[in-house]
Amino acid sequence: MTATVGPQVQAAARASDVWKVYGSGEAQVVALGGVTAEFERGRFTAIMGPSGSGKSTLMHCLAGLDSVTRGTVSIGDTMVTGLGDAGLTRLRRDKVGFIFQQFNLLPTLTAQENILLPMSIAGRKPDPAWYDTVIDTVGLRDRLRHRPAQLSGGQQQRVACARALVARPDVIFADEPTGNLDSRSGAEVLNFLRNSVREHGQTIVMVTHDPTAAAYADRVIFLADGQIVSELVEPTADTVLDTMKKLDAPAEVAH
Amino acid sequence: MFRATWKSLLARKVRLLLSGLAVVLGVMFVSGAFVLTDTLGRSFDAVFADGFSDIDVTVTAKPKVAVSEHEGEQVATPVPASLVEQVKQKVPAAADAKGVVNADGARLIGSNGKVVTSFGPPQLGENWLGESDLVQLREGTRAPRADDEIVVNAALAEAAKVKVGDRVGVLTLEPKKEFTLVGIFGYSGGRDSMGGVNEVAFTTPVAQRLMLGKPDTFSSITVTAADGVSPEKLRDDVARELGGSYEVKTGKQAAADQAASLKEGLSFFNKVLLGFAAVALLVGTFLILNTFSIIVAQRTRELALMRAIGASGRQIIGSVVLEAVVIGLIASVLGLAAGIGVGALLAYLFGKLAGGLTLAGLGVPPAAVIGAFAVGLVITVVAALLPALRASRIPPIAAMQDVATPDRPLTRVTVSGAIVTAIGAVLLFLGLDGHAGDNTLATILGGVLFAFIGVALLTPLISRPVVSLLGALFAWSVPGKLGRLNSGRNPRRTAITAAALMVGIALVTGVTVILDSAKGSISALAEDTIKAELVIAGAQSGPRPPSFDPTVLEKAAAIPGVQLVDGEYGDMATVNGTRTWVAASSNVAALERIFGGKATAGDISRLGPDQMLFSSDAAKSRKVSVGDRVTVQLSRGEARTYTVSGIYQSSQLTNPVVLPPQAARDFAIPQPIQGFVQLAPGARVADVQPQVETLLADSPEVSVADRDAFIKQQTSQLDTPLRMIQILLALAIVIAVLGIINTLALSVLERTRELGLLRAIGLRRAQTMRMITVEAVVISIFGALLGVVVGTGLGAAVVQALKDEGITDLVLPWGQMGVFLGLAAIIGVVAAVLPAVRAARINVLGAIAHD
Ligand SMILES: Nc1ncnc2c1ncn2[C@@H]1O[C@H](COP(=O)(O)OP(=O)(O)O)[C@@H](O)[C@H]1O
Ligand SMILES: [Mg+2]
C-alpha cells in the first residue's frame, strides 16, 4: 500500500519506493521495504507503528540523516537522495527542523541561545515578530536565560520545539517528542505542535507509537515490518487504537 | 570484578593510548639516558683498555693540581728522562722501558687556516714511539725523523684536510710552528682515531719542548715486563725501585682510572638527562591524572551500577588502580624499548660528533630496566589514585540519575592549591636565600615542584575568568563561541590540561629570564667598566680556551695610538691548599686602568715577581690580608710563596687572585687567553684594529674585535646552554600537547550526541572543526600564559637571589614570551587536528541514536 495525496496538494516531503536494508547475509534486516509516501504541506502527519516497524528509519531517511538503499527521497523540490555531506548539511540547516525524543539542547547554551542556534549557524537573523510569537506560544519567556539543566523535561522539549519553529523550516521532523514526558507535559508539547500547524501553516512529520499522541495529527500513516499498511485521516485516539488492533489481528489469525 | 576491569580497559584502549604515550615518553627519556651513558661508558672503557693493551706498567708523577673533567684538561707533572734508564737497569723484571710524551694542547691548523677544534676529546701532542700492534702508519707514509716533521692520526688529517708533504702549522705551549707532515697513522681494525682524540706526534725532543716545556722529561714511562713476569709483580718492583713520589700502575689500572674520570663526566650528564626526564614525567603525571578523572566521570553510571549490584568502594578503587597498573606496565615496556632505541641513536650521534668513537655493543644496564618500570608504574598508579578515590565515592543512586558529573565546588581544591603554593614559596625562599645549607638544590627543586602543583590546583579557579576572556577573542563566530563555552565547561579538566603545558613553558621562561638577566647584567657591567676599545679573544668550543702568541702583546703596544695593552692568563691552582682560579696580567696596571679595579688595601697598581693580589671576597673568605705570605702551586713547576701586596674590590670582571706575569709560564696554558687594547685619546679604532689583526696572523684561534662585539660574543656563550635546555624541555611541551589532544579527544567522545545534534541542525564540518580548534587554542594559550607568568616569577626570584653574585638587572624576555604565546596558539591548532577531524566525521545518525 502507498500513501499519496492528490495532485492538488503539494508535498513537503516525499518518499518513493524507499528501501532500507541493514547488514547482509544472515544478519540482514529489511527496515523499510518499498515505502512510498507523501507528506502534505501545512499538515501534521503522524507515523505510527509498533516498535521495530521502521518508523525512525523512515524519518531518518526522509530528513537526510540516513541514506536509502533504494528509491528516492525529496524535500520540497530538493532531491535528498544523492546529496553529499555539504548538501545534506545545507538541507538540514535551511529546510528541515528536528525534535528528538531526548537530548535536544546544548548544555552550555541558555534556552534562548539554543533556540537561536540554527539561525546563528546559518548566519541568519530571526524575524523578530515571528520569534516573539514562537516564544509566546511555547510560553517560555521567563525561562529564556536558563540553561537546559535548570529546565524540566517538558520545558526542554518546548525549547526544542521553539528551536525547530523559529527558522520556519519546510518540514519539522519529530521522533517521539513526548516519549520521555509525563502525559501533561506531553499534551502541552503536542498542542503546541498542532497549533503551529493550524495557525502558522508549519509542516510537521511526527513519529510515535502512542495512539493519544497520534490523535493530535491530521493524518496517520501506519507502518508494520517496514511497509505502510494503513492510513487514517482526522484520527482520534480511538480510531488509531482500533486500527492498531486490526493490524495486529491478521498476524494472530495466521497462527 | 577483574573481568569487568579488563573488559572496560579493552573498550577504552584508544582513550588510554594517549595517556599511556605520555608515560612511554617519560620512561623512554629515563631508560634512554641510562642506555646512552652505559654504552658510552663501555665504549670509553674499550678505548682506554685498547690504548693500554700493550702496556704492562706505566709510571707517572702525581699531578700538581687536580683538575676535573669539566674544568679543562689536567696537566701531568713530567717525570725526568733519567727514570727510563733507571728502570731498565735496576729492575730485572723489566724487559724494556720507554719515555712517553703525551699532553693536551697540540692544535693543528687546517688547510683553511683555522685550528681544528675539538668538542671534548683532547688534542694530544706526543712523541712518535713507532708502530705497534695497535698503531699503524698508513700506506706510503713514514715516521718523523727530523725535528720539523710530524705525523698525525687519520681522523685529524681528514678533519684538517691536510696530506703528506704539506707544511702545516701547530700551536702548542709555544706559538705557531711549521712542520712537514710526513705520516698519517691509524689504529688496528682500520680505525682513524681512538675515541675521537686528535693526535700530533713529533720527534721526542720536539715533543718534550713543545708539549712539556722542559727538555729531558716525559709525561710517563711505560715498562714492558720480561718474559714470565706478571704486570702486578713488575708494578711492585718498579714502585719499590722508584719510591713514593711516583704513581706506578699496571696498564689495566691506568685504563680503568682514565676511564673513571671520563665516566664521572658521563654520570653528571646522566643526571642532567634524568632531571629533564623528571620534568617530562611530572607533565605526564598531570596527563594521566586528567585522563583517569575524565574516564571515571564518563563511567559514573557504569561504576554506580557496579555499586548498585554490590561492588564495594574498595573494589572500585581496585579496578581503577588495576587499570593503571596494566597501562603503567605496557607503557614501561614500550618506553624501555623506545629508550633503548633512542639511547643507541644518541650514542651513535655522539660517537660521530666525537670524531669516530667506536661504540661498544649496545647494552641495557639494570638501572635502565629498573628505572623504566619503577617510574612507569609508580607514576601511573600515583596519578590514578585520586580519580580512583573519587570513583569509589560515586553513590549507587547515580546509576539512576541523568546528570553524569555534577558541578563540584572549587573551594577545596583552591584552598589546598593555596597551601601547596605557599609551601612551594617558602621552600623556594629558604633555598634561594641560602638557609638550606647543603640541601639548597633539593630545597629549590622541591619548592619549584610544590609551586607547580600548587598553581595547578589553583588553576581551575583562575581558569574561569581567564578562559572566558581569552575565548572572547574567538567569540565572533558561532563555532568560536561554542568552542569558548566548551573550554570553560569543565574548569578542572581545562585547568589540568593547561597546567601540563604550563610546566614546560614555565621552566623555559624561567631559565630564559635567568640567563637573559645574567647576560644583561654582565654586559651592562662590562660596558660600564671595561675601558679597552679593542679586545683579542676567540670563541671557546671545547674544554680548552683559545689562546694566542704573547709576543703579540708587545707588538700591539708599539702600534701608534695604543696607550695600554694587557694580556690575561688563567689557570686552576692550589692556593694555600685549596683550589681556585688564578689569573696573571701581562700589565698589572690594567686592573685599575681597564677593569676599574679599586684598592681596598695595599697597592694594586704594580706587582713584583714575588707579590700577589687578592680580591676582597677571596681575601675575606681565606682570611688573608696585605703582607701575608701565601703558597701557590700552579699546573707546572714547584710551589712558590708570594706576599700579598694588595687587595682590590671584587667584581664580576675580575678573578679572585692575580699573580705576576712571570707566573703565567707555569700555567696549564702559558699563553694569554684574552688581550685588551686601550687607545690613546684621539686614536681611531679603524686605524688600529687592522694592524692588530695582522699581528694575529699566526694565532688563528683568536681575532680582534671592538669592545661591544667582544661583550656580545662573551655573553652569547650563554646561548648554547639556553638552546640545549630549551630543546630538552621541548619534550615536556610535546607531552603537554599529547595532553591537549587527549583531553579534546575524550571531550569529543563525551559530547558525541551534542556534536550529532549540532550537525543535525546544520553545523558544517568545517565549522565543527573550528569549534574544536578554538577550544584547543584557548586551553593552550591559557597554559602558556600561566607558564609565562609562573616562569617569570620563578626566574625573577632566582635573579633576586643571585643579586650578590652580580646578576643585578632583571631582564624580561618579552620577545620570547610573545613567541611562547604564539607557539601555544600553533600547538593548540596542531593538537586540535585529530579530535577535530574525529568530531567532524561523527555520524549524525549514530550520534543521535547513541543510547
Ligand atoms: N543501524 C542498524 N543496524 C541494523 N539494524 C537496524 C539499525 N537501525 C535499525 N535497525 C533495525 O531496523 C528495524 C527498524 O528500526 P527502527 O526504524 O528503529 O524502528 P522503530 O523506530 O519503528 O522502533 C528494526 O528491526 C531494527 O532492529
Ligand atoms: Mg524508533
Side-chain angles (χ1 to χ4, degrees):
Chain A
M1 170 170 182
T2 58
T4 50
V5 290
Q8 71 280 9
V9 193
Q10 215 204 334
R14 174 183 284 121
S16 322
D17 191 28
V18 166
W19 288 73
K20 180 72 191 178
V21 181
Y22 289 112
S24 58
E26 286 281 292
Q28 199 174 50
V29 177
V30 180
L32 295 177
V35 173
T36 299
E38 287 186 342
F39 301 89
E40 308 95 310
R41 190 148 281 177
R43 297 191 69 181
F44 188 177
T45 312
I47 303 175
M48 272 292 287
S51 184
S53 57
K55 309 182 292 291
S56 298
T57 308
L58 176 59
M59 195 205 93
H60 292 152
C61 290
L62 283 169
L65 288 173
D66 204 351
S67 60
V68 300
T69 311
R70 213 167 82 202
T72 57
V73 169
S74 57
I75 288 185
D77 43 16
T78 310
M79 179 61 75
V80 177
T81 315
L83 281 181
D85 181 72
L88 287 173
T89 305
R90 210 174 311 118
L91 176 88
R92 292 198 296 265
R93 201 170 70 190
D94 301 335
K95 304 218 160 152
V96 175
F98 288 103
I99 304 165
F100 301 111
Q101 182 172 353
Q102 56 177 342
F103 204 80
N104 261 304
L105 308 176
L106 284 201
T108 47
L109 300 183
T110 62
Q112 181 177 31
E113 287 168 331
N114 264 296
I115 292 171
L116 292 176
L117 189 58
M119 314 234 30
S120 344
I121 290 175
R124 282 189 278 143
K125 286 256 171 299
D127 169 1
W130 175 238
Y131 173 75
D132 278 335
T133 316
V134 171
I135 297 300
D136 286 334
T137 8
V138 279
L140 282 169
R141 198 167 278 288
D142 53 337
R143 293 295 162 99
L144 286 178
R145 308 226 159 274
H146 289 203
R147 287 185 199 280
Q150 300 161 317
L151 299 174
S152 74
Q155 287 168 333
Q156 288 185 25
Q157 280 312 70
R158 272 148 59 198
V159 172
C161 294
R163 184 191 63 205
L165 276 170
V166 161
R168 299 197 138 179
D170 288 8
V171 198
I172 291 177
F173 291 103
D175 192 352
E176 314 239 12
T178 57
N180 269 10
L181 302 182
D182 59 77
S183 55
R184 229 193 85 211
S185 313
E188 267 173 28
V189 168
L190 289 163
N191 264 318
F192 173 69
L193 290 178
R194 182 165 61 185
N195 289 344
S196 63
V197 174
R198 300 256 160 96
E199 289 162 25
H200 307 296
Q202 180 64 54
T203 309
I204 296 179
V205 176
M206 175 179 78
V207 166
T208 182
H209 64 264
D210 172 11
T212 332
Y216 282 80
D218 300 323
R219 171 175 165 236
V220 185
I221 290 172
F222 292 88
L223 273 185
D225 293 334
Q227 282 174 333
I228 293 179
V229 287
S230 181
E231 185 181 347
L232 267 181
V233 180
E234 301 300 329
T236 64
D238 292 337
T239 54
V240 173
L241 208 55
D242 280 349
T243 316
M244 291 285 280
K245 278 186 186 144
K246 259 184 242 152
L247 290 177
D248 278 346
E252 278 159 28
V253 171
H255 277 284
Chain B
M1 198 70 199
F2 178 78
R3 252 188 91 77
T5 304
W6 186 245
K7 282 253 160 91
S8 81
L9 196 65
L10 284 180
R12 280 167 295 105
K13 50 189 178 303
V14 182
R15 304 185 208 185
L16 295 169
L17 190 82
L18 281 167
S19 54
L21 205 55
V23 191
V24 170
L25 287 179
V27 170
M28 176 186 91
F29 217 124
V30 171
S31 49
F34 280 118
V35 169
L36 172 64
T37 44
D38 174 76
T39 308
L40 291 181
R42 281 180 304 110
S43 308
F44 285 127
D45 276 346
V47 168
F48 287 116
D50 221 6
F52 284 93
S53 60
D54 50 6
I55 294 173
D56 290 329
V57 162
T58 163
V59 181
T60 53
K62 297 193 171 89
K64 307 252 163 160
V65 179
V67 177
S68 73
E69 199 58 46
H70 24 258
E71 289 166 340
E73 295 291 335
Q74 181 169 293
V75 177
T77 307
V79 296
S82 58
L83 234 54
V84 177
E85 286 309 309
Q86 190 184 346
V87 170
K88 268 196 205 169
Q89 275 153 30
K90 303 265 178 69
V91 182
D96 190 18
K98 270 188 202 161
V100 179
V101 177
N102 178 305
D104 183 34
R107 291 145 292 153
L108 190 80
I109 299 170
S111 63
N112 61 357
K114 295 215 170 77
V115 167
V116 179
T117 51
S118 146
F119 291 97
Q123 301 173 292
L124 296 181
E126 325 160 320
N127 57 339
W128 178 249
L129 290 169
E131 289 185 271
S132 66
D133 288 346
L134 183 66
V135 181
Q136 289 138 12
L137 280 167
R138 294 279 155 96
E139 285 247 325
T141 69
R142 62 171 176 86
R145 283 180 221 129
D147 282 354
D148 73 334
E149 291 176 347
I150 54 167
V151 296
V152 301
N153 67 319
L156 177 57
E158 164 93 12
K161 301 206 166 40
V162 292
K163 52 187 191 313
V164 168
D166 286 357
R167 289 289 284 176
V168 291
V170 183
L171 307 173
T172 55
L173 288 181
E174 292 187 16
K176 179 181 162 186
K177 294 262 178 312
E178 292 230 325
F179 297 88
T180 307
L181 182 66
V182 296
I184 291 172
F185 64 93
Y187 290 91
S188 57
R191 286 171 292 171
D192 290 346
S193 80
M194 285 287 268
V197 175
N198 291 336
E199 292 172 78
V200 179
F202 309 90
T203 57
T204 299
V206 174
Q208 287 169 329
R209 198 179 74 233
L210 296 186
M211 298 317 303
L212 303 177
K214 254 182 174 175
D216 291 326
T217 55
F218 289 109
S219 308
S220 63
I221 292 168
T222 61
V223 190
T224 330
D227 282 346
V229 178
S230 76
E232 287 72 23
K233 159 114 176 55
L234 176 63
R235 172 195 62 197
D236 297 342
D237 286 3
V238 172
R240 203 169 313 114
E241 168 63 30
L242 296 182
S245 48
Y246 295 100
E247 285 180 355
V248 185
K249 294 175 183 170
T250 61
K252 267 210 192 77
Q253 266 178 318
D257 288 354
Q258 289 212 10
S261 88
L262 243 173
K263 279 201 232 163
E264 210 176 288
L266 277 181
S267 95
F268 176 74
F269 181 53
N270 190 22
K271 285 198 187 103
V272 170
L273 289 181
L274 290 180
F276 286 101
V279 174
L281 285 165
L282 175 65
V283 177
T285 311
F286 281 27
L287 177 46
I288 297 163
L289 176 70
N290 203 25
T291 310
F292 274 94
S293 302
I294 299 176
I295 287 175
V296 164
Q298 289 178 351
R299 284 172 67 202
T300 301
R301 275 178 159 213
E302 185 188 324
L303 292 168
L305 188 66
M306 275 155 87
R307 291 303 309 275
I309 60 174
S312 70
R314 198 177 287 179
Q315 278 174 308
I316 300 282
I317 294 186
S319 85
V320 175
V321 169
L322 184 64
E323 267 191 42
V325 170
V326 173
I327 293 171
L329 272 177
I330 295 174
S332 301
V333 171
L334 294 179
L336 179 60
I340 295 171
V342 166
L345 180 73
L346 288 179
Y348 170 78
L349 292 177
F350 190 98
K352 277 264 148 155
L353 199 75
L357 173 66
T358 312
L359 290 180
L362 185 67
V364 182
V369 180
I370 296 167
F373 281 94
V375 157
L377 271 180
V378 169
I379 293 282
T380 326
V381 170
V382 164
L385 273 182
L386 235 99
L389 218 62
R390 201 173 307 138
S392 74
R393 299 221 187 93
I394 295 173
I397 187 76
M400 275 60 101
Q401 288 168 341
D402 209 27
V403 186
T405 38
D407 239 0
R408 285 168 295 137
L410 297 174
T411 332
R412 261 198 19 215
V413 70
T414 305
V415 169
S416 34
I419 293 171
V420 175
T421 311
I423 295 175
V426 169
L427 285 177
L428 273 175
F429 173 77
L430 290 179
L432 290 174
D433 215 40
H435 294 293
D438 286 346
N439 300 323
T440 302
L441 188 64
T443 313
I444 293 176
L445 291 180
V448 172
L449 182 68
F450 271 91
F452 280 146
I453 295 174
V455 173
L457 289 171
L458 287 176
T459 308
L461 191 76
I462 309 169
S463 81
R464 287 221 163 117
V466 179
V467 162
S468 91
L469 212 69
L470 279 176
L473 295 175
F474 302 96
W476 42 266
S477 69
V478 178
K481 189 171 173 226
L482 292 171
R484 171 198 179 195
L485 287 172
N486 283 339
S487 52
R489 196 158 166 174
N490 194 327
R492 281 185 165 78
R493 196 181 292 182
T494 302
I496 200 155
T497 312
L501 185 60
M502 166 193 79
V503 173
I505 298 221
L507 288 173
V508 175
T509 308
V511 170
T512 311
V513 166
I514 296 166
L515 291 185
D516 275 9
S517 298
K519 264 164 78 169
S521 307
I522 293 171
S523 12
L525 181 64
E527 272 160 26
D528 286 353
T529 325
I530 297 180
K531 292 190 192 62
E533 284 75 8
L534 291 171
V535 183
I536 301 167
Q540 184 168 352
S541 67
R544 182 194 178 88
S547 56
F548 60 94
D549 183 351
T551 59
V552 170
L553 296 169
E554 295 140 40
K555 291 181 196 150
I559 295 171
V562 171
Q563 178 170 304
L564 185 71
V565 175
D566 170 47
E568 289 286 321
Y569 302 77
D571 196 16
M572 180 63 100
T574 311
V575 174
N576 267 357
T578 41
R579 291 172 350 120
T580 180
W581 287 104
V582 298
S585 295
S586 69
N587 192 337
V588 176
L591 184 57
E592 277 178 316
R593 289 169 59 191
I594 292 181
F595 300 106
K598 296 210 170 33
T600 58
D603 181 6
I604 65 166
S605 64
R606 79 193 103 236
L607 201 54
D610 294 316
Q611 294 179 320
M612 70 187 297
L613 305 177
F614 268 88
S615 76
S616 50
D617 284 351
K620 202 169 136 210
S621 67
R622 289 162 170 275
K623 299 195 177 57
V624 298
S625 45
V626 171
D628 285 359
R629 292 172 61 76
V630 171
T631 310
V632 176
Q633 171 65 64
L634 298 167
S635 285
R636 295 172 215 279
E638 298 306 315
R640 272 195 67 163
T641 309
Y642 294 88
T643 308
V644 179
S645 64
I647 291 169
Y648 51 89
Q649 188 65 51
S650 293
S651 109
Q652 278 306 107
L653 297 175
T654 50
N655 284 289
V657 175
V658 175
L659 296 173
Q662 294 82 348
R665 262 190 313 232
D666 285 336
F667 282 13
I669 300 172
Q671 287 165 349
I673 293 161
Q674 286 171 351
F676 296 86
V677 180
Q678 191 179 69
L679 301 190
R684 287 184 20 199
V685 169
D687 294 336
V688 179
Q689 188 167 358
Q691 299 184 56
V692 179
E693 219 164 81
T694 345
L695 297 178
L696 293 172
D698 281 346
S699 300
E701 284 184 298
V702 297
S703 59
V704 58
D706 66 31
R707 194 195 61 164
D708 290 345
F710 164 72
I711 293 172
K712 203 174 252 152
Q713 185 235 323
Q714 289 292 302
T715 52
S716 72
Q717 294 192 358
L718 286 174
D719 290 345
T720 315
L722 179 62
R723 224 27 55 72
M724 305 247 284
I725 292 171
Q726 286 176 342
I727 290 172
L728 285 166
L729 285 175
L731 184 81
I733 295 176
V734 167
I735 293 182
V737 175
L738 284 182
I740 299 173
I741 298 178
N742 202 22
T743 301
L744 285 178
L746 289 170
S747 298
V748 164
L749 220 65
E750 191 175 68
R751 297 181 202 143
T752 302
R753 282 190 182 193
E754 220 173 293
L755 289 162
L757 177 70
L758 280 167
R759 296 274 291 131
I761 62 173
L763 198 69
R764 275 183 283 116
R765 283 210 165 126
Q767 289 177 310
T768 313
M769 291 175 71
R770 201 175 331 143
M771 176 177 84
I772 306 285
T773 306
V774 165
E775 184 175 354
V777 169
V778 167
I779 293 177
S780 60
I781 293 189
F782 175 49
L785 207 59
L786 276 177
V788 165
V789 171
V790 172
T792 306
L794 289 175
V798 173
V799 168
Q800 176 68 28
L802 292 178
K803 207 159 212 149
D804 292 345
E805 311 291 321
I807 304 189
T808 44
D809 306 1
L810 178 64
V811 179
L812 295 184
W814 294 112
Q816 290 260 24
M817 295 183 194
V819 169
F820 293 152
L821 292 181
L823 196 72
I826 297 172
I827 285 175
V829 173
V830 172
V833 171
L834 286 175
V837 167
R838 191 166 179 168
R841 287 231 186 104
I842 275 181
N843 177 304
V844 183
L845 196 61
I848 296 162
H850 199 87
D851 76 53

